[in-house]
Amino acid sequence: MDVLELARTQFAVTGSLHFLFVVLTLGLAPIVALMHTRHVISGSALHGGMTRFWGQIYVVNYALGIVTGLVMEFQFGLSWSGLSDYAGGVFGAPLAMETLVAFFLESTFLGLWIFGWGRLPKWLHLACIWLVTLTAYASAFFIMVANSFLQNPAGSVLRDGRLELVDFGALLTNKTLVFSFPHVIGAGLLTGGLVLAGASAYQLRRRTRESVFFDRSLRMGVGVASVGAFLALGFGYAQFGGVQEGKFDGSTGAAVPLGFMIEIGQLLAFVLLFILLPLIYWLPRWRWTHVVLMLMTPVPFALAILGWMAREIGRQPWMVWQKLTVADALTPGLTSGMVTASLIGFAGVLGLLAVVDYVLIARIVRRGPRDLDLGAVPAGARPAPAMTF
């Protein structure tokens, strides 16, 4: 492989691995926030336990996903400095907003939520997890703004050989953004819901003692996944209206993952909306459905990667559509050895983080909602007095 193909492969591998974390984060955040809301309103110990159990899985996935996101930022300087030089004045603006939102606001509110159990007033503590959810979605929005600019460079003009931002509103209302962002939200809800349902099905099939706990979780997971499937499918088709003319012409590399994503996605949506959702109250009792839900759990992760492949490969050979080619965006002076070394290093680290993530999540699921670390009071210690205004 030449330098260009190696650099493209590196970004594809690291981007795909990173998105595995992101799509689960986007799905679990609102689920945990809804559980916490029901706990605060009702005072139910069951919903409190559900919040802590699924919240602990969310925290593990978020913490490891942050590290994979840092690698994505590095590559713009290492491999694609031509993009930064040509379009950094436009492309860098939403990335800067994403960094501020994700690393400052989202991380701050998540820290307050993690360490605020028993210390913050309950309504303020609840507000923290909702702010985590909102900032997570804002982070995803700005990433989609940046990516949509590459698909359709709206709001910019070419001056002195560089793109300059002249209309920030056009950037935020890009035709390739308005339907693709809700599509990503749907994909996240589909993923989070099926992880919830699949993990609960695993515990119920083992005839767990916490049957009520996982009954509720399974039903909620199927409900959320059904909403996600409806959004992902509807907005997935709608976003074809914003696709640039000629984007998929002769692009077999994009057509194959796109075809698989559409066919598998339609089948998954059909099973959820027309088979499992109508039977939602009987699912915890029917053991055959537990196997089905466990087998369905990894499917949305695969669909998410197929969707990104179709979106990115279809744009080739352009980095910025009809403005800057991928070859021109490549950093000058790179050698095959340099990119190969970084590819092995990045893929190895991110792959290891992905394995660690799923091993830790599987361990939490297998252990069940006993002896949770999130929100626990150390043995022999008194709960800290709640902060007041």
Side-chain angles (χ1 to χ4, degrees):
M1 298 174 67
D2 60 21
V3 177
L4 179 60
E5 293 302 314
L6 282 168
R8 286 184 59 200
T9 301
Q10 175 177 278
F11 201 87
V13 170
T14 54
S16 298
L17 288 170
H18 175 60
F19 195 61
L20 293 176
F21 293 86
V22 172
V23 74
L24 182 56
T25 295
L26 294 176
L28 284 181
I31 291 174
V32 174
L34 286 170
M35 290 175 175
H36 197 167
T37 302
R38 296 186 68 177
H39 168 59
V40 169
I41 292 174
S42 66
S44 165
L46 173 63
H47 289 111
M50 290 170 66
T51 304
R52 292 174 57 206
F53 178 74
W54 298 109
Q56 187 160 314
I57 291 175
Y58 171 81
V59 170
V60 168
N61 185 74
Y62 178 88
L64 292 170
I66 283 290
V67 182
T68 65
L70 292 172
V71 173
M72 302 298 297
E73 302 284 354
F74 290 154
Q75 290 179 88
F76 291 120
L78 291 174
S79 301
W80 307 107
S81 62
L83 172 63
S84 302
D85 182 61
Y86 180 77
V90 185
F91 184 71
L95 286 184
M97 292 297 296
E98 189 275 336
T99 301
L100 290 170
V101 169
F103 287 101
F104 288 92
L105 292 179
E106 187 180 0
S107 300
T108 298
F109 291 129
L110 182 59
L112 288 170
W113 185 71
I114 293 172
F115 299 105
W117 289 86
R119 295 178 175 86
L120 293 175
K122 63 178 184 179
W123 290 104
L124 183 59
H125 191 219
L126 173 63
C128 288
I129 188 61
W130 277 112
L131 287 169
V132 167
T133 303
L134 291 175
T135 50
Y137 277 62
S139 175
F141 173 75
F142 285 115
I143 287 295
M144 290 304 298
V145 170
N147 182 267
S148 296
F149 166 76
L150 300 181
Q151 312 285 340
N152 175 39
S156 63
V157 296
L158 184 63
R159 289 177 184 164
D160 299 325
R162 295 181 180 180
L163 290 180
E164 293 185 9
L165 180 62
V166 294
D167 189 347
F168 191 64
L171 198 66
L172 299 182
T173 57
N174 195 326
K175 67 177 183 179
T176 62
L177 169 69
V178 291
F179 293 120
S180 61
F181 177 59
H183 176 67
V184 170
I185 292 177
L189 294 175
L190 173 63
T191 304
L194 280 182
V195 166
L196 202 72
S200 300
Y202 166 78
Q203 279 285 0
L204 291 171
R205 189 160 181 81
R206 295 176 65 197
R207 303 187 187 278
T208 176
R209 290 180 295 175
E210 293 88 4
S211 58
V212 176
F213 182 100
F214 288 107
D215 282 1
R216 298 283 185 87
S217 296
L218 186 147
R219 289 170 182 158
M220 186 175 186
V222 170
V224 171
S226 299
V227 172
F230 180 79
L231 290 175
L233 196 64
F235 284 105
Y237 280 114
Q239 66 180 319
F240 280 109
V243 172
Q244 298 285 30
E245 185 177 351
K247 178 175 179 179
F248 294 108
D249 291 353
S251 180
T252 306
V256 171
L258 182 65
F260 275 112
M261 182 190 66
I262 291 175
E263 294 299 325
I264 299 172
Q266 287 177 334
L267 177 61
L268 187 64
F270 177 84
V271 172
L272 278 168
L273 294 170
F274 298 105
I275 298 178
L276 296 180
L277 188 61
L279 304 174
I280 192 169
Y281 288 103
W282 293 275
L283 293 180
R285 306 174 195 170
W286 294 348
R287 290 175 60 80
W288 66 269
T289 64
H290 302 164
V291 177
V292 172
L293 287 168
M294 285 188 286
L295 292 174
M296 289 171 65
T297 302
V299 175
F301 291 97
L303 291 177
I305 301 305
L306 289 172
W308 272 114
M309 288 176 63
R311 185 175 175 89
E312 298 305 291
I313 296 174
R315 194 176 68 241
Q316 300 301 315
W318 300 103
M319 176 66 82
V320 181
W321 183 258
Q322 294 186 340
K323 298 285 187 180
L324 178 72
T325 66
V326 176
D328 290 334
L330 189 68
T331 299
L334 287 178
T335 65
S336 297
M338 293 164 61
V339 182
T340 301
S342 60
L343 170 60
I344 294 171
F346 286 155
V349 171
L350 268 63
L352 178 62
L353 288 172
V355 171
V356 170
D357 183 44
Y358 295 123
V359 167
L360 290 176
I361 290 175
R363 186 172 296 177
I364 295 170
V365 170
R366 189 165 54 249
R367 187 174 61 187
R370 298 184 302 275
D371 303 322
L372 295 172
D373 297 315
L374 182 64
V377 178
R382 296 181 179 179
M387 295 173 60
T388 66
F389 290 105

